[in-house]
Amino acid sequence: MIQDVERLIQAIADDLRRLLKERDIVNPAVIGVHTGGVWIAERLRDLLDIGEPLGRLDISFYRDDFSRLGMNPQVRPSDLPFDVDGRHIILVDDVLYTGRTVRAALNEIFDYGRPDSVILAVLVDRGERELPIEAQVVGARLTLEPDENVKLTGPEPLHLVVRKRP
Amino acid sequence: MNPASVQLDEQGRLLHFLTLEGLTRRHLVEILDTAESLSGVAERRVKKLPTLRGKTVVNLFFEPSTRTRTTFELAAKRLSADVLNLNISTSSTVKGETLLDTLRNIEAMQCDMFVVRHAQSGAAEFIARHVEPHIAVLNAGDGCHSHPTQGMLDMFTIRRHKPDFAHLRVAIVGDILHSRVARSQIHALNILGASEVRVVAPRTLLPAFVEDLGVRVCYDLRQGLRDVDVIIMLRLQRERMQGALLPSAQEYYEQYGLNEERLALAHPEAIVMHPGPINRGVEIDSAVADGPRSVILEQVTNGIAIRMAIMSITIGAHAHDGRRRR
Amino acid sequence: MGIAIRGGRLLDPANGVDGVMDLFIADQQVAAVGGKPRGFRIEREIDAHGQVVCPGLIDLCARLREPGEEHRASIASETRAAAQAGVTTLVCPPDTDPVIDETAVVELIRRRAEAAGQARVLTLGALTQGLQGEQLAEMAALKEAGCVGVSNALAPVTNTLVLRRSLEYAATYRLTVFLTPMDPWLTAGGCAHEGVMATHLGLTGIPAAAETSMVARDLALLEGIGVRTHFCRLSSAGAAAMVAAAQARGMPVTADVSAHHLQLTELDLAGFNSLCHVSPPLRSPQDRDGLRAGLASGVIAAICSDHQPHEPDAKEAPFGDTLPGISGLDTLLALGLRLAEEGVLPLPAVIERLTAGPARILGLALGQLGPGAIADVCVFDPEQVWILDAKTMVSRGHNSPFLGRGFRGKVTCTLLAGKIVYQA
């Protein structure tokens, strides 16, 4: 089942607006996790009318499986063009699965400074968590077969693709 | 000739970093790109990445060096590795302990990486061939043969100013004969596709058959500098005057020293580099070394990011192969 | 004891013999070639069908490491290796410890070699005392004690006056002078040929001029003295050409080359292969070709092993920290046979360069199998394929770059003065 991604992102933006109002957050900073999270974060930034540039995170150096898998040959620089100290962060990723990527992203953000809070918004939550991590805003929940994968392709157009693992 | 094939595994991943000779463009670009990602670490609150947490890096320096050792130490620590510094003076070999015995003793301390500097060419390769399979060996300079991390940080510096290697003309000036840095730079430039690499030096400071490395020889500095985009000045060591290689520092400066007048012969946007430490007034004038075209200080900063990149890549390659301790 | 070696291809280049025929040996000598002499009682028969029977090999330079370096090897161990390699005569250079500048050392070596009884060991006496290049050694006494020549080993005599006088003194006693042409200043600190490989590997180079300049100097000094001079272990085409020119002018000059210099070049140093660290260094392919041409034309009259056995530590270090030298006895014949296989020179000529050629240089009646000759014999199977392996190498030194390589041609039997010292 392939979802209309643009519509999901609209829904996420609506939920975020509500959540930010509830928590009285006026000037959030948005950080996207490479690569899919950055595409979504760019759209959210537009929809939420945030003028400040996006933060981009490549968590390759923070992965907990570096000892097993080694270096990612396509690592990109992380770039947070704002001071993390005292900010409310909206952390955006495409797929929430085991929770390890989010843990790595949180570790990396905290190495830049101490945020006041972090809200996690994901396009898809496919369950099967291995760590106690949850998203505050979720576009869609999916249940997948054990041999299936979900991937966001892009940047234009954005598509969610469910594939059998090779 | 595929030298140092010991440094690549069957999939072509870098297990050790011994020499640039025999590596591909892909290898070098991966290192440069990874270093680019790492270069921002120094600006963060926590100037560390957890990538090598729990790993032990041993600095095995058989030749004394504070500068290079310190940058390797800093690079390892910025990746959260533990660092052991072993300065092995020649007196331990006088006591009769062979290099192999020294290695065995250190291996017993459970490390993951050796950073080696040695006065003999081929020492790093020798060590790589004899260590346990899970240990990565980085060459911090072996004799006159190779100083690959320096070569890479020089390429990183060049790329920041001149992103397209294909049209680059580079002049390397100085004691090529004794320079492991020059050899590494020459290999890197050729692999990255530089349009022309010139070596500029008197005959006595050029190795035999140097053209075989892929360079054009110029005995005349003015000719050598004409229209180049990058000038790399090499340090002239005092000993060269004693070894009947040069008559005096004065004559060397007259013929091969870089001053503003000679710099003007190069391309108007040429950059000036030097692996350091600089001999002011011998190979280079202060005005040039401190001038607007000099990127010498950047080279030092870039050294840390490059070494972090190479450490991550090589230790990562060992992880990939699941190379276990024996 | 009457020994008959039957059915082999008898290759005796000194006497122009090359054909399938029998060889008869009695009382340490060759009794007859071809037909069995009347009344000859055969007590032992060696079947040599399909094999080659030639004079025992004569090796102009083999270091036995005794006296002085017994931790590396000994006269007993290395003469045993020689016997299994078909080498019946070895020449030991004077750089033992103590140096062979006293008759006592000549005696010691002779006794120990006799006790081992595996090969004949000849010695070269020192040219100068202690090989220091300053005072003449007692060459007359050394000759009387049995030295077959004099040499300064690897320590070149730099003082030309001393060298000239030592040449004149050696001429007095009709001693052949064995010189190793190596300029000490051009050689100092170097470990590889000054060529492309040294440049790539960052090794300090030794130019060919280190050899040719000394050959030129020595030839000039020899002029008019009339002493027989032998240049040891040429490594460059240039030096071979200079020796050829000197011979053409009628000078009594000879030369040898090591078996490995005829096979290997600087390119074999790839990967900092310390097993190819030798002195003089392995030079360019052009130099190797020049040496091969010199060998084929006869300018270079002998192939030697330049045997230098080492313990493993000596080679297990970064290249420049290793000791030079190859353990060459085990492969001397096989490398020679490879030259024939590669068409560098025909098999009888290869055998000549390993037997009659060295004998002529030494001025001894060895290296041939005519009736009445000393029965030093080597029998080898030219088709037997074998691989050089540290476990089966006979020399105590396993420092050979040919380890793991396959060879064709193996010694099956060796006789020393009519006595069987090795049989496979």
Side-chain angles (χ1 to χ4, degrees), chain A residues 18-145:
Chain A
R18 229 172 299 135
L19 189 56
L20 291 171
K21 190 146 179 271
E22 257 170 48
R23 297 194 181 184
D24 251 332
I25 293 171
V26 287
N27 188 21
V30 183
I31 298 179
V33 180
H34 271 302
T35 324
V38 172
W39 296 333
I40 299 167
E42 274 166 347
R43 284 160 169 70
L44 285 175
R45 196 178 142 252
D46 284 339
L47 291 169
L48 295 172
D49 255 327
I50 292 171
E52 195 176 36
L54 205 56
R56 293 148 208 270
L57 226 51
D58 183 307
I59 53 131
S60 299
F61 293 109
Y62 283 79
R63 296 182 64 96
D64 63 8
D65 51 8
F66 181 83
S67 292
R68 259 194 316 115
L69 297 182
M71 267 299 308
N72 169 15
Q74 270 119 29
V75 64
R76 266 168 258 242
S78 287
D79 173 34
L80 300 189
F82 45 78
D83 193 350
V84 163
D85 277 327
R87 297 295 298 269
H88 294 279
I89 307 279
I90 301 175
L91 178 62
V92 185
D93 202 3
D94 49 4
V95 179
L96 177 57
Y97 179 20
T98 60
R100 292 176 192 275
T101 300
V102 174
R103 176 196 181 251
L106 287 172
N107 282 353
E108 185 160 2
I109 291 170
F110 274 79
D111 275 352
Y112 278 86
R114 187 190 177 280
D116 267 2
S117 73
V118 179
I119 293 172
L120 177 63
V122 298
L123 188 67
V124 165
D125 180 347
R126 63 170 282 188
E128 295 173 75
R129 216 73 79 235
E130 290 173 5
L131 299 176
I133 290 190
E134 287 311 321
Q136 281 69 47
V137 177
V138 176
R141 288 172 208 278
L142 284 182
T143 313
L144 297 172
E145 297 299 312

Side-chain angles (χ1 to χ4, degrees), chain A residues 62 77-85 108-113, chain B residues 35-49 74 78 156 160 298 300-302 304-305 308:
Chain A
Y62 283 79
S78 287
D79 173 34
L80 300 189
F82 45 78
D83 193 350
V84 163
D85 277 327
E108 185 160 2
I109 291 170
F110 274 79
D111 275 352
Y112 278 86
Chain B
E36 200 61 67
S37 310
L38 290 165
S39 55
V41 176
E43 269 96 65
R44 302 169 6 162
R45 151 95 47 89
V46 176
K47 297 175 189 7
K48 272 187 192 259
L49 297 170
L74 212 47
R78 293 230 171 119
F156 186 77
R160 281 249 172 111
E298 269 178 60
V300 179
T301 315
N302 294 337
I304 300 171
M308 287 171 73

